Amino acid sequence: MSSAAVALFVAGGAPRSAAALRNLTAAIAATGRPEGTFRIELIDVLRDPARALEAGLLATPSLALTAANGRRRWFIGDFDRPELLAGWLADVLDGDPP
Amino acid sequence: MSGGPMPRLPTGIAWFDRLTQGGIPTRRLTVLLGQAGAGKTLLSCQIAATRARLSGAGVVFAALEEPPSDIIRNASGFTWDLAALAGRQFHALDLRPDPDMVFAGDFDLRGMLATLSAKARQTGAELVVFDGLDTVLGWLASPARRSAELTRIGRWLEEEGLSAIITAKAERHGGPVDALGPLEFAVSLVVALEQREESGGTLRALRITKSRGSGHSSSAHPLFVSRHGLEPLMWPGGDPSPASRERVGSGMARFDVLLGGGYLRGSTALLSGPPGTGKSTLAALFTASVCAAGGRAVHIFFDEGPEQAIRNMRSVGIDLAAHRASGALHLIGLQPGRDGPEQLLSEILAAVETQDATALVVDPVSSLMRGGVADLGQSAIRRLVEEARARGMTALLTSLVEVGDDPSTSTLSAVSTIADAWIALGYAERGGERNRTLSIVKARGSAHSNQTRELIMTAEGCTLADVYTAGGTVLLGTARMEREAEERRLEALASLDHQRHLRELQAQLTEAEIRQRQSGLQSEAARAELALLETAEAARRAARADRLLRIATSRSADAPAEGGSEGGSAA
């Protein structure tokens, strides 16, 4: 079964951080994949700026999706349309990134 | 904002710190605005490198547009040597956005600031450069969101104790680049860089369009790219150092006398004249004289190559090759058509610096003006004059005067006002021949001769001939020589005349003396004769008296009458 790493970079408890996490959770649910398909990591760059540096982060919230084949794709924003994000998540999982 | 002067971080770029009254604002945002190619990234690298060398602290360079490798390569070859600082004090981060990045909803730039915080703490940086921040700001839809992010960056600087430079592209709508629009309030210093391509050169200029906490002039300062990076053509704030009173020999003793002892050290002299009047020769004489006296010279040729110049000068007894061999002289041939004035200026200044020159010759300086952008060429020459003054380097610029030159736009009129001294070379046509002339039109700080002299060039060297005037006209060449010969002849004649006269007088005197002696002898003879006559008369009288006495005695008559005549003496 294929899986994908999902890293969400947020900056502290800003409203956009909460919105992004909420929208991500909704999108994952919308894919209908079994639990554990997406390995989610939440990174607060204010507490862990070294992770931001490591990623060369520009904006928050940012989502890095890494497919099983190692391909990584960046998504910037708070995902105000979770249905779009659900589609992208599925694509990454199927090895066909958008 | 609190009152009082805003603390500044000196950049170590002397002219920039002078223009900005101290450098970039500490813990504030400085924006370098300009169109593509205006030199924003170059100036930001220049500030980063010079500041790093000045303070010993690090710089984080956020490369948002160009890859760091390109930035370091483009900034190589400058004196501040960015490549040597890379990884030590200059920490470039490749933050170019992934082109496949997908935007989905609202975001802010806190992620980028977190990245930079980490790097700054890791490296001990005091300065952050955001190169091409407009690319990232452009992701934000509204001006309000963009200014909010700039405000965020400003606050972040205060929190982190960092100062920052942002470079951003600006559109130019006819006028100068200065539009930061609603973003401007978040920024303490705005420097606008302008660049315009003209046939003949690139016009660059810098203006301070905003400087919080200090007064500033918004006038445009023309720039050029030298080995030190961007530099103003004119040193901001006037004369960099006072003029010297020291004199530097021109290479021609008689000319030095005319100049009041030679050229003033640190001054710039213009040597103008039509083709073949001896400009290059006089320039080379100066160069050789400086080198012979232990100085160091840079001699720029435009019309010919150094080898050709060496050959030409050898024919008038000037040995440039020897001075080049000793290292005292740096001969450079430049092509005027290939590069614009700012490029040529940059090469000349680089040569002056590396040679640590005490003298500079540009032959001819008109080549700096070639190509259409007269302003730029003139600024370049002005810069040379300033450089000479600042270094105490004596400069000699030659300028070709063509017949029919428009005096109002010619190099001559432009340069003659900038230069400290102006020596006009020319021809005088008279009696079917052309002779070289030299006259000093102006010489600041010198009591100089205004007379026109004849410049004589032979295989033995050059000199100035004395002036002969006849009926208000200076005599030159054959006319002068004729005049000289005539004077010599007249002199000889006069001398002969004198001697003849002297001899005549002596002869007369001798004659007179002889005559005197003769007459003396004559009078002696006469006196003797007279004495003889008197003696004879006395003798005769005595004889007569005696005879009369004897007659009277013999007649025994009357006593003889004294002196009485014969016959009448008888009473």
Side-chain angles (χ1 to χ4, degrees):
Chain A
M1 194 183 85
S2 62
S3 69
V6 177
L8 181 64
F9 293 84
V10 294
R16 269 189 285 273
S17 304
L21 186 58
R22 196 168 54 240
N23 292 335
L24 174 63
T25 312
I28 286 174
T31 60
R33 304 290 170 119
E35 207 168 321
T37 305
F38 298 97
R39 287 172 278 114
I40 301 168
E41 187 184 13
L42 183 67
I43 300 142
D44 180 356
V45 296
L46 298 189
R47 266 190 283 174
D48 198 1
R51 292 296 304 275
L53 176 60
E54 188 185 77
L57 197 70
L58 284 173
T60 38
S62 279
L63 186 71
L65 291 184
T66 310
N69 63 6
R71 290 192 62 172
R72 185 158 71 168
R73 176 133 294 189
W74 281 96
F75 298 85
I76 307 289
D78 57 7
F79 316 109
D80 48 0
R81 293 171 66 191
E83 69 277 15
L84 280 180
L85 180 58
W88 295 329
L89 286 168
D91 290 346
V92 168
L93 206 55
D94 300 337
D96 181 25
Chain B
M1 284 290 145
S2 61
M6 183 168 279
R8 303 268 170 168
L9 209 62
T11 63
I13 304 171
W15 63 265
F16 187 87
D17 290 349
R18 189 149 166 176
L19 276 182
T20 55
Q21 299 181 345
I24 57 171
T26 307
R27 301 188 182 191
R28 295 283 193 281
L29 271 178
T30 293
V31 173
L32 306 182
L33 275 182
Q35 293 170 285
K40 303 180 295 292
T41 302
L42 172 60
L43 185 56
S44 69
C45 287
Q46 193 175 342
I47 292 172
T50 51
R51 174 64 201 177
R53 291 187 185 281
L54 185 70
S55 69
V59 177
V60 171
F61 191 95
L64 296 160
E65 216 167 28
E66 283 178 90
S69 57
D70 282 11
I71 284 161
I72 290 169
R73 195 177 53 241
N74 292 342
S76 72
F78 293 107
T79 47
W80 25 271
D81 197 2
L82 192 66
L85 294 169
R88 300 168 192 270
Q89 284 178 268
F90 184 82
H91 307 281
L93 276 179
D94 190 353
L95 292 182
R96 288 173 300 151
D98 178 353
D100 295 328
M101 193 178 267
V102 179
F103 290 96
D106 201 10
F107 63 93
D108 57 46
L109 299 179
R110 276 188 282 199
M112 177 177 68
L113 298 182
T115 300
L116 296 173
S117 289
K119 193 68 181 174
R121 286 173 204 164
Q122 191 187 86
T123 59
E126 58 166 2
L127 177 67
V128 175
V129 178
F130 298 86
D131 186 40
L133 188 70
D134 49 316
T135 55
V136 179
L137 279 182
W139 295 342
L140 297 155
S142 72
R145 289 285 292 111
R146 287 199 284 273
S147 57
E149 289 309 304
L150 268 188
T151 307
R152 187 192 306 285
I153 295 174
R155 205 167 297 151
W156 173 75
L157 293 176
E158 291 194 45
E159 286 164 11
E160 297 283 331
L162 294 166
S163 304
I165 294 170
I166 287 172
T167 77
K169 272 188 294 297
E171 290 308 310
R172 189 157 168 275
H173 306 285
V177 172
D178 61 2
L180 204 55
L183 308 185
E184 189 158 318
F185 79 95
V187 174
S188 297
L189 176 66
V190 180
V191 176
L193 291 164
E194 289 161 27
Q195 187 204 32
R196 208 164 67 235
E197 292 294 335
E198 300 261 338
S199 59
T202 309
L203 289 174
R204 292 175 188 275
L206 174 148
R207 287 186 309 121
I208 310 286
T209 62
K210 175 180 177 173
S211 181
R212 187 172 284 164
S214 74
H216 71 278
S217 142
S218 62
S219 56
H221 300 272
L223 298 179
F224 72 108
V225 181
S226 77
R227 59 202 286 266
H228 303 301
L230 285 174
E231 259 196 88
L233 278 170
M234 274 158 280
W235 185 255
D239 285 357
S241 77
S244 167
R245 293 184 178 279
E246 218 181 311
R247 298 284 176 167
V248 180
S250 67
M252 213 178 355
R254 303 192 81 165
F255 187 35
D256 287 345
V257 174
L258 290 193
L259 288 165
Y263 299 115
L264 275 171
R265 182 175 301 284
S267 75
T268 300
L270 169 68
L271 211 54
S272 75
T277 46
K279 297 184 296 295
S280 294
T281 307
L282 235 58
L285 260 182
F286 170 64
T287 297
S289 158
V290 165
C291 294
R296 302 176 62 79
V298 168
H299 197 126
I300 311 281
F301 299 97
F302 279 108
D303 291 342
E304 55 187 4
E307 301 311 319
Q308 195 189 340
I310 286 173
R311 275 198 305 279
N312 291 348
M313 289 308 129
R314 195 170 285 147
S315 69
V316 285
I318 305 167
D319 188 3
L320 294 178
H323 294 305
R324 182 171 67 170
S326 77
L329 175 59
H330 189 16
L331 293 169
I332 304 170
L334 292 178
Q335 286 182 24
R338 200 192 56 204
D339 299 312
E342 77 288 348
Q343 178 72 32
L344 295 170
L345 173 68
S346 175
E347 285 183 46
I348 294 170
L349 289 182
V352 161
E353 281 173 30
T354 47
Q355 177 75 354
D356 192 20
T358 61
L360 168 70
V361 170
V362 182
D363 184 21
V365 79
S366 354
S367 297
L368 274 176
M369 311 269 288
R370 226 177 277 178
V373 189
D375 281 359
L376 198 59
Q378 205 171 324
S379 299
I381 293 164
R382 205 178 279 277
R383 175 54 196 254
L384 284 182
V385 172
E386 282 186 356
E387 189 72 22
R389 195 167 295 143
R391 291 183 160 270
M393 171 180 76
T394 313
L396 199 58
L397 313 175
T398 75
S399 178
L400 186 65
V401 181
E402 297 280 11
V403 178
D405 265 2
D406 178 358
S408 63
T409 60
S410 71
T411 312
L412 193 60
S413 71
V415 182
S416 62
T417 54
I418 302 169
D420 300 298
W422 179 10
I423 294 114
L425 300 179
Y427 282 124
E429 284 192 58
R430 205 177 146 82
E433 60 175 29
R434 287 150 73 88
N435 298 294
R436 296 186 175 96
T437 62
L438 178 152
S439 61
I440 302 172
V441 183
K442 75 164 181 180
R444 267 178 215 148
S446 297
H448 63 89
S449 166
N450 290 317
Q451 275 185 314
T452 298
R453 303 288 156 127
E454 181 176 1
L455 178 62
I456 299 169
M457 293 194 246
T458 67
E460 283 73 47
C462 300
T463 190
L464 294 175
D466 279 335
V467 183
Y468 283 86
T469 53
T473 310
V474 176
L475 295 182
L476 300 158
T478 307
R480 173 181 53 77
M481 285 191 279
E482 277 173 0
R483 178 70 181 208
E484 283 174 332
E486 175 67 10
E487 295 222 345
R488 276 197 298 274
R489 193 178 65 80
L490 290 174
E491 171 71 24
L493 279 178
S495 170
L496 275 177
D497 218 35
H498 170 75
Q499 283 172 11
R500 192 189 309 129
H501 194 192
L502 195 69
R503 278 195 302 273
E504 274 174 11
L505 281 173
Q506 278 172 342
Q508 279 176 10
L509 192 67
T510 312
E511 216 171 306
E513 279 173 359
I514 290 167
R515 269 201 301 273
Q516 199 182 8
R517 209 165 295 153
Q518 276 177 342
S519 75
L521 287 171
Q522 278 171 348
S523 62
E524 228 170 284
R527 262 195 304 276
E529 201 176 308
L530 187 68
L532 274 173
L533 278 172
E534 278 172 358
T535 311
E537 177 64 17
R540 189 188 65 83
R541 278 193 190 167
R544 182 170 171 260
D546 189 51
R547 198 179 63 226
L548 284 175
L549 186 65
R550 269 184 278 124
I551 289 167
T553 305
S554 64
R555 284 178 188 169
S556 303
D558 308 323
E562 203 58 41
S565 61
E566 281 187 61
S569 62

